Amino acid sequence: MNREKYRTAIDRLSFSEDFETRTIALLREKAQPAAEKENETMKHAKHIRTLWQTAIALCVVAVLSISAYAAANWLTPSQVANRVNEPTLAKAFESEDAISINETVETGDFTLNLAGLVTGKGLKPLEQNVDETRTYAVLSIQHTDGTPMTVDDMPFSTYTLTPLVSGYAPWTINMGTLDAMVTLIEEDGSLYYLLDTKNLEMFADHTVYLAFFEGFVPNSNIFTMGEDGTISFAENFTAPHALFELPLDESKADPDAVSALMESLNIPDAEISD
Amino acid sequence: MLSVKGDENMTSVGTNEAIERIVREYSVMLLRLACTRLASTADAEDAVQDVFLTLLSSRVVFRDAGHERAWLIRATLHRASDIRRRARQKDLPLDSALQVEASEGISPDADIMAVVRSLPEKYSAVIHLHYYEGYTAKEIGRLLGLPAATVGTRLSRGREKLKKILKEDDR
């Protein structure tokens, strides 16, 4: 099969003539009710900060086993950044402002290790390629039984890594609205997600999560949100998943930046602090 | 709400203009991409429509047009694979799916499409993005969040698999 033959085959595919018109009409119809529904959701999503949420130490929650897995064989976040040709970011991961986490969770056939992150101030001294308005984090994955993994084991269309914030519905504030992208690499039988997202420190007076799950866009079949804004996986969601809480410094919270973000997203800022 | 930054004004997907722009700009590209996973164009249309609906409801913000395109491509591949998996769970064998395609007469080049669809997604996606959309390995890497070297390997292995399948078919 050559390129021209393939192109011809694709060009000959025939779709409904009215697909675009029909789709535009459907989206317009859905747009207004969706906005109204979201407003209602946010009205009820009052965030109540609790003592445990203010703890700096990282907790890992979910219906998962938590192990003291010795992750001596993981690459460090700095090494991961170097592997994807981001030497400046690699330096940031080695800086004093980088946050080392190194927490491990087993789910499904996988052992996940949230290695660490660097955000905001930690990136400020760097001049190029990294953005101080961003947060970068590294999540490592291995098969729990020790069999080597390749990137083929973690199809981009099957698994998702996304930041979430308590008090904001997962289907509202997630990798989409937080402008998050991931790069996946393999090294010596382990996989590494390098997450690049909006600066999460602005939400530091909330519980900020990093969620890994089988699926794509967060929805109510995957996540639930308690009345106090706490996010968790739905009880009947049995696919591989993990929810890490990020140990952000609460003093770095920037409610004005959050309000600006919400305004840009046309989301009413329903966050209510205690 | 969907927005794209980088323009002077961020545009909400809730506006008629934004909805129309996204659908007009990406529909054909995404429908063709979905057909690398789905035998029926009707299924491909469902998949792409679902992606647009997800986009509308998930309030995605894109940093630029490249990010927007990458998100739509990933979402389409995800939704198409999801539909395909569900069809398999309903015990609809792939061969049957191909018969559906033939009966619907969606393409006189059904054989080529069937061969591409028979490849694992990791190969069919990069082959399509390279050979049809014209992206380089580096560009595909950005779109799919993979190192360019991995994309290169997948292109190479995908090509080998295609050759092998086509040779077997010629016998």
Side-chain angles (χ1 to χ4, degrees):
Chain A
M1 186 183 79
N2 62 34
R3 181 189 295 249
E4 283 313 307
K5 208 172 171 184
Y6 179 65
R7 290 183 64 89
T8 302
I10 290 287
D11 286 338
R12 285 182 179 163
L13 289 171
S14 174
F15 302 101
S16 304
E17 285 183 11
D18 66 344
F19 175 77
E20 291 183 8
T21 309
R22 188 160 39 89
T23 301
I24 288 168
L26 176 68
L27 291 170
R28 285 177 178 169
E29 182 188 324
K30 298 279 184 185
Q32 189 56 37
E36 288 169 3
K37 187 179 175 185
E38 189 58 45
N39 286 344
E40 285 303 308
T41 300
M42 293 311 298
K43 281 177 189 169
H44 292 91
K46 297 179 187 294
H47 174 73
I48 301 169
R49 190 159 22 113
T50 57
L51 284 175
W52 65 267
Q53 284 175 309
T54 63
I56 296 298
L58 174 112
C59 301
V60 180
V61 294
V63 285
L64 308 163
S65 62
I66 302 173
S67 75
Y69 184 83
N73 53 346
W74 303 113
L75 290 180
T76 65
S78 177
Q79 289 171 324
V80 172
N82 271 322
R83 294 293 193 282
V84 296
N85 295 316
E86 294 285 3
T88 318
L89 180 59
K91 284 182 187 171
F93 273 122
E94 290 173 349
S95 72
E96 288 182 359
D97 292 308
I99 301 171
S100 177
I101 299 173
N102 195 25
E103 290 290 337
T104 302
V105 172
E106 290 179 17
T107 179
D109 296 333
F110 308 119
T111 297
L112 314 177
N113 177 267
L114 181 59
L117 60 91
V118 64
T119 187
K121 186 185 169 190
L123 298 164
K124 203 166 185 177
L126 306 169
E127 293 178 353
Q128 57 183 7
N129 294 334
V130 294
D131 185 342
E132 68 185 68
T133 65
R134 312 286 295 173
T135 293
Y136 300 86
V138 171
L139 179 79
S140 315
I141 305 175
Q142 290 181 341
H143 275 141
T144 303
D145 66 5
T147 55
M149 289 191 77
T150 71
V151 290
D152 297 339
D153 295 320
M154 196 66 35
F156 51 81
S157 60
T158 304
Y159 296 95
T160 295
L161 181 65
T162 179
L164 300 174
V165 181
S166 65
Y168 296 94
W171 37 97
T172 301
I173 296 297
N174 53 45
M175 76 285 194
T177 42
L178 293 173
D179 187 20
M181 292 290 278
V182 295
T183 300
L184 181 63
I185 63 165
E186 66 179 65
E187 179 92 10
D188 294 335
S190 298
L191 298 184
Y192 299 88
Y193 275 101
L194 175 60
L195 175 77
D196 168 1
T197 182
K198 269 187 192 298
N199 186 353
L200 300 177
E201 278 184 336
M202 70 174 122
F203 294 108
D205 53 352
H206 296 62
T207 302
V208 180
Y209 309 89
L210 204 55
F212 169 88
F213 61 95
E214 185 178 315
F216 193 59
V217 175
N219 58 49
S220 57
N221 294 321
I222 301 173
F223 292 99
T224 60
M225 189 167 73
E227 289 186 357
D228 63 352
T230 304
I231 292 170
S232 52
F233 277 96
E235 279 186 17
N236 56 357
F237 184 74
T238 56
H241 61 280
L243 193 63
F244 298 90
E245 292 180 17
L246 303 184
L248 299 176
D249 181 348
E250 189 179 333
S251 69
K252 305 280 179 60
D254 186 349
D256 290 341
V258 173
S259 294
L261 173 65
M262 294 304 143
E263 192 177 340
S264 73
L265 298 173
N266 197 25
I267 296 173
D269 185 0
E271 188 273 329
I272 295 175
S273 59
D274 55 7
Chain B
M1 183 193 75
L2 163 71
S3 310
V4 177
K5 295 187 291 184
D7 296 330
E8 285 187 7
N9 301 305
M10 290 175 68
T11 311
S12 162
V13 79
T15 66
N16 290 343
E17 295 79 9
I19 288 171
E20 186 154 346
R21 178 187 68 79
I22 295 282
V23 173
R24 300 274 184 224
E25 189 170 336
Y26 292 107
S27 283
V28 174
M29 187 265 286
L30 298 179
L31 286 167
R32 287 169 173 160
L33 180 66
C35 283
T36 64
R37 307 307 303 150
L38 298 168
S40 155
T41 52
D43 285 346
E45 290 181 1
D46 287 346
V48 174
Q49 208 165 62
D50 286 349
V51 167
F52 288 136
L53 285 168
T54 300
L55 187 57
L56 183 71
S57 62
S58 61
R59 296 173 175 275
V60 175
V61 173
F62 299 119
R63 73 183 74 158
D64 53 36
H67 186 191
E68 177 180 89
R69 180 173 291 257
W71 192 95
L72 288 164
I73 285 173
R74 292 190 198 197
T76 299
L77 289 170
H78 173 80
R79 186 64 191 129
S81 292
D82 195 34
I83 290 172
R84 184 169 158 140
R85 270 194 297 273
R86 288 183 187 192
R88 281 180 172 171
Q89 284 167 3
K90 288 179 185 171
D91 294 319
L92 178 66
L94 189 60
D95 287 345
S96 299
L98 297 178
Q99 286 166 13
V100 169
E101 174 185 4
S103 67
E104 291 182 356
I106 60 170
S107 166
D109 302 274
D111 288 348
I112 291 176
M113 295 308 300
V115 169
V116 171
R117 271 192 298 275
S118 71
L119 294 174
E121 177 190 289
K122 61 186 177 184
Y123 299 127
S124 61
V126 295
I127 281 177
H128 178 79
L129 292 170
H130 180 66
Y131 286 106
Y132 191 83
E133 297 294 343
Y135 289 114
T136 64
K138 193 175 178 183
E139 289 168 333
I140 295 169
R142 283 200 204 102
L143 289 170
L144 302 184
L146 293 166
T150 302
V151 174
T153 303
R154 289 184 178 184
L155 274 173
S156 174
R157 288 182 184 162
R159 273 194 298 259
E160 284 171 19
K161 285 180 180 290
L162 278 175
K163 279 181 191 171
K164 190 178 173 189
I165 294 168
L166 290 169
K167 267 186 185 175
E168 285 171 356
D169 285 351
D170 286 343
R171 284 176 194 163

